[in-house]
Amino acid sequence: EHIKKDKKRYFIKDKYTHFILFDKNKQFVSGDVYDINSDEFISTPNEIKNFFKSKNLNKYLKNKEEIHFITLDYEKVLFTIEEVKKANKLLGYIFIGRTLDSSFLSNLTKITHSYISFLPSYSLKNKNELKIKNSLINYDINRVDEKNLFSFIELFDEFDNSSFFISMKINRDFFIQISKNNEFLFYIFITTFILLIMCIYFFIDKLFAKRIKNITNIIKKVSKSNSLELKIKIDYDDEISYLSKKINEMFISINNKQHEELKKERDFLQSVLDSQKNIILITDGKDIESTNKKFVDIFKSKDHFMTNIALLDNQTQANLVNFAKKYESYENPAKLKVQDDNHKYFIFDVQKLDMKKYLICMNDISSYNEKLCHLEQKATIDELTSIYNKNTITSLLNCWLEVKDFCLIIFDIDYFKKINDTYGHYIGDCILRDLSKLIKSFLHKEDIIGRFGGEEFIVLVDDNSNENIINIATRLKQVVEDYNFVYENHKINVTISLGATFCKRNEKYEVVYKRADEALYEAKRSGRNKVCYN
């Protein structure tokens, strides 16, 4: 109860997918369920409630280190159940779960360095048992080839009373390399032993042969690696040392020549990139290797750009190419912070240069996006009152009815026609504008207000208790009644009549609107400046 709502939502979303409370009688109290596929919070499945009522929870409470699985909404969920106690008195239970989705399996893959996947069904070919504490786990291991192993672990679904499996692909390169290294060390030992015996008889000859062999090895390494940074060590002042010195000088000369040619190519490429009007960067998918002048003018540094990506999506910072592909269309531009905390909108074009290099072109569409946002705002906002218009508030009302319970308030300005006739339509428009601003400042940020037409307004209150709606509507009425509407030395008394109703999820729009409208009619019929609930 002490966790704030927004922090609780982030806790559920980032760490778990299910966080549900039950009282000591196994009755559902509260819960949060995060659907990874749709990126939204949904209602608690009835399967969990039935599971609690039908199962003996002692099985899941005795051994806290044992893990269990359950099928919820066709997805496997890893879960644990904990008791909630205060002063050794049982208050209830907590159900904590995590969906076995692709990101969860990917994290396991990173931790184990083995590719892990989920299999709904499988037949264990060579069934083995592994005892961990008091639990027996069935598994088998299949060797595909010299480098790869597949292991399959059988797990049990508590809800379906059936088995499912986890597959792990293990790469054996490390063990093969150890075997090869041991073999290599053995040959070195034999060679060293033979050389030691031969050095007794051929010390002088082998002294010169070793130095010549060293020169040969250095040249071979240079040939294989194409690196001219290696140098031949010079120990003596003789013909072999003179040869080594000249070879080193040759390496330096060739290396300098290659660097000069590479520098010319890089300078030419950079001049081409700098001449482009769009922002261009070259990347290997993770790190930015090169940019043009336009990039530096906008973002100043690569680190500043990477910080922008992290602000948008922590996952895409690790893969620049995926981030760019995510924002390739005009309908989905990326919003990035640039100089002086200004924001610009960009779309991306990704071109593959070779197996490891990508060219990303960034197009600034800030002016286009600004015009589009302006048009969208004009289509959804009432021009006079700066709140949602009839079409938008109706659409939002239908959306709320699909996902949750809430409260609905409809209100009219009392005798508004008389105000227009007495003071003029300009004063009437001022009252509509200021009244909308007053009501909006009173509501919580989760609540929504819209103008339904004329002097009629609709308020969607994010409160799932029908006991609070009368108090909220009454306070709205009093706020308007206490406010001084003063225009051109005219102090105008404004009151409103309100009709309220409680809306349940999946109710029809026509039904809830009719209830609220009937309540509003009753408030007007009984004298106005009143709140009626239906």
Side-chain angles (χ1 to χ4, degrees):
E1 292 177 357
H2 299 290
I3 301 176
K4 291 184 179 179
K5 185 176 181 181
D6 57 343
K7 290 185 177 180
K8 181 179 178 183
R9 288 294 173 111
Y10 281 120
F11 169 73
I12 300 299
K13 182 176 179 181
D14 293 340
K15 301 294 184 182
Y16 307 100
T17 56
H18 296 73
F19 187 89
I20 305 164
L21 299 177
F22 293 84
D23 63 19
K24 62 182 180 180
N25 297 319
K26 301 183 182 179
Q27 295 297 318
F28 173 78
V29 176
S30 176
D32 281 285
V33 177
Y34 173 65
D35 185 359
I36 295 175
N37 293 322
S38 62
D39 191 23
E40 64 181 354
F41 287 89
I42 61 176
S43 59
T44 302
N46 290 325
E47 290 94 327
I48 297 181
K49 301 174 184 177
N50 296 332
F51 179 80
F52 255 72
K53 293 178 181 178
S54 61
K55 292 290 185 178
N56 181 7
L57 299 186
N58 290 330
K59 172 183 176 181
Y60 310 103
L61 297 172
K62 283 182 180 179
N63 187 359
K64 295 184 178 180
E65 296 179 357
E66 187 173 349
I67 59 175
H68 304 280
F69 301 85
I70 189 173
T71 297
L72 296 174
D73 293 333
Y74 307 103
E75 292 183 319
K76 301 294 183 185
V77 176
L78 183 152
F79 75 93
T80 182
I81 300 175
E82 299 283 346
E83 292 180 326
V84 180
K85 292 184 177 180
K86 185 175 183 181
N88 291 326
K89 182 179 180 181
L90 179 64
L91 300 180
Y93 304 90
I94 299 177
F95 178 96
I96 299 175
R98 180 62 166 85
T99 302
L100 298 184
D101 67 306
S102 59
S103 63
F104 181 84
L105 295 174
S106 296
N107 288 333
L108 287 180
T109 299
K110 292 179 182 178
I111 293 172
T112 61
H113 301 287
S114 303
Y115 181 75
I116 296 178
S117 60
F118 166 81
L119 297 177
S121 64
Y122 179 78
S123 296
L124 296 180
K125 299 178 181 177
N126 301 306
K127 189 172 182 180
N128 299 290
E129 288 186 347
L130 176 65
K131 186 172 183 180
I132 301 178
K133 302 224 180 242
N134 296 324
S135 301
L136 285 177
I137 297 177
N138 295 325
Y139 73 97
D140 73 354
I141 297 177
N142 296 325
R143 178 168 175 173
V144 180
D145 51 37
E146 184 181 0
K147 292 186 177 181
N148 295 302
L149 288 178
F150 277 90
S151 60
F152 300 88
I153 302 173
E154 182 179 23
L155 302 173
F156 186 76
D157 189 314
E158 301 289 337
F159 187 83
D160 287 342
N161 290 322
S162 62
S163 297
F164 66 99
F165 301 83
I166 293 295
S167 170
M168 299 176 62
K169 181 182 179 182
I170 304 171
N171 191 299
R172 300 183 67 249
D173 281 344
F174 176 74
F175 303 99
I176 295 171
Q177 188 62 40
I178 290 177
S179 177
K180 289 182 178 179
N181 289 343
N182 289 337
E183 183 180 357
F184 180 71
L185 290 174
F186 173 77
Y187 287 126
I188 290 179
F189 174 76
I190 296 298
T191 303
T192 305
F193 179 76
I194 295 173
L195 288 175
L196 182 62
I197 295 175
M198 293 178 66
C199 281
I200 298 174
Y201 303 99
F202 308 104
F203 175 77
I204 296 177
D205 290 338
K206 288 301 176 183
L207 177 64
F208 291 103
K210 181 180 179 182
R211 293 168 64 194
I212 294 174
K213 185 178 180 180
N214 180 53
I215 296 173
T216 304
N217 288 337
I218 293 294
I219 294 174
K220 286 181 178 179
K221 288 181 179 178
V222 170
S223 176
K224 289 182 179 180
S225 63
N226 293 322
S227 172
L228 297 171
E229 302 295 332
L230 298 173
K231 296 291 183 293
I232 301 173
K233 187 177 179 181
I234 300 174
D235 295 322
Y236 305 98
D237 185 11
D238 55 13
E239 287 78 5
I240 296 178
S241 297
Y242 179 79
L243 175 63
S244 300
K245 181 179 179 181
K246 291 302 179 181
I247 291 175
N248 286 338
E249 291 176 355
M250 180 183 68
F251 285 167
I252 294 173
S253 176
I254 296 174
N255 192 39
N256 290 337
K257 187 68 175 177
Q258 286 184 348
H259 279 296
E260 183 179 347
E261 293 296 328
L262 288 173
K263 185 177 182 303
K264 289 180 179 179
E265 291 180 5
R266 284 197 298 267
D267 291 344
F268 175 74
L269 175 61
Q270 190 64 48
S271 65
V272 172
L273 294 178
D274 290 340
S275 66
Q276 302 301 307
K277 294 181 179 180
N278 291 329
I279 298 171
I280 295 176
L281 55 98
I282 297 174
T283 176
D284 62 355
K286 294 183 178 180
D287 298 320
I288 298 175
E289 297 186 357
S290 181
T291 66
N292 66 344
K293 184 177 181 299
K294 189 71 173 180
F295 178 95
V296 178
D297 292 342
I298 298 295
F299 295 105
K300 299 301 183 184
S301 69
K302 301 172 185 176
D303 293 336
H304 190 188
F305 180 73
M306 298 301 285
T307 303
N308 272 277
I309 297 177
L311 290 174
L312 285 177
D313 185 346
N314 290 328
Q315 298 298 321
T316 55
Q317 185 179 10
N319 194 321
L320 223 52
V321 176
N322 286 347
F323 165 75
K325 289 181 177 178
K326 182 178 179 180
Y327 299 98
E328 279 190 312
S329 67
Y330 281 88
E331 292 77 14
N332 183 33
K335 181 181 180 182
L336 301 180
K337 183 172 68 176
V338 294
Q339 304 174 33
D340 303 322
D341 289 337
N342 292 325
H343 291 87
K344 285 183 175 292
Y345 292 85
F346 298 92
I347 60 173
F348 295 79
D349 181 30
V350 181
Q351 299 293 330
K352 193 171 185 179
L353 300 179
D354 56 33
M355 293 298 292
K356 297 182 179 179
K357 296 289 189 298
Y358 296 87
L359 185 144
I360 298 176
C361 179
M362 298 174 58
N363 299 307
D364 186 354
I365 62 164
S366 301
S367 59
Y368 168 84
N369 195 70
E370 184 179 348
K371 293 178 181 177
L372 185 63
C373 291
H374 178 69
L375 293 174
E376 288 179 350
Q377 183 178 12
K378 289 191 68 175
T380 58
I381 301 300
D382 181 68
E383 187 174 358
L384 174 62
T385 60
S386 297
I387 60 177
Y388 289 123
N389 59 25
K390 180 178 179 178
N391 288 336
T392 306
I393 194 66
T394 302
S395 298
L396 291 172
L397 174 56
N398 280 298
C399 290
W400 279 34
L401 286 170
E402 292 178 2
V403 297
K404 61 182 175 180
D405 300 344
F406 61 97
C407 298
L408 173 65
I409 299 174
I410 300 179
F411 69 86
D412 268 359
I413 301 175
D414 295 332
Y415 305 110
F416 187 69
K417 183 177 184 303
K418 184 178 179 181
I419 293 175
N420 275 333
D421 293 342
T422 305
Y423 300 102
H425 287 280
Y426 172 76
I427 299 297
D429 289 346
C430 291
I431 291 175
L432 289 173
R433 183 190 62 236
D434 294 343
L435 177 68
S436 301
K437 185 177 180 181
L438 175 65
I439 298 295
K440 189 174 182 180
S441 65
F442 170 79
L443 297 172
H444 289 290
K445 64 179 182 179
E446 294 87 0
D447 302 335
I448 300 175
I449 181 174
R451 184 183 178 193
F452 200 69
E455 70 274 21
E456 182 177 341
F457 295 82
I458 288 182
V459 178
L460 308 182
V461 181
D462 190 15
D463 193 315
N464 58 5
S465 171
N466 56 2
E467 298 176 358
N468 296 332
I469 185 60
I470 299 296
N471 293 332
I472 295 172
T474 302
R475 290 200 299 271
L476 275 175
K477 178 184 76 69
Q478 195 60 45
V479 164
V480 175
E481 187 176 356
D482 295 341
Y483 187 78
N484 293 323
F485 292 86
V486 180
Y487 308 100
E488 299 178 356
N489 297 324
H490 297 296
K491 183 178 180 182
I492 304 172
N493 294 323
V494 177
T495 61
I496 58 176
S497 299
L498 304 95
T501 189
F502 180 73
C503 305
K504 292 185 178 180
R505 181 183 176 187
N506 292 328
E507 280 195 281
K508 297 296 183 182
Y509 162 79
E510 294 80 5
V511 175
V512 298
Y513 180 81
K514 182 179 180 182
R515 284 206 308 268
D517 193 50
E518 288 174 351
L520 174 61
Y521 177 78
E522 179 61 25
K524 291 180 178 181
R525 190 189 65 79
S526 58
R528 302 182 188 268
N529 193 23
K530 289 186 177 182
V531 174
C532 287
Y533 176 81
N534 185 7

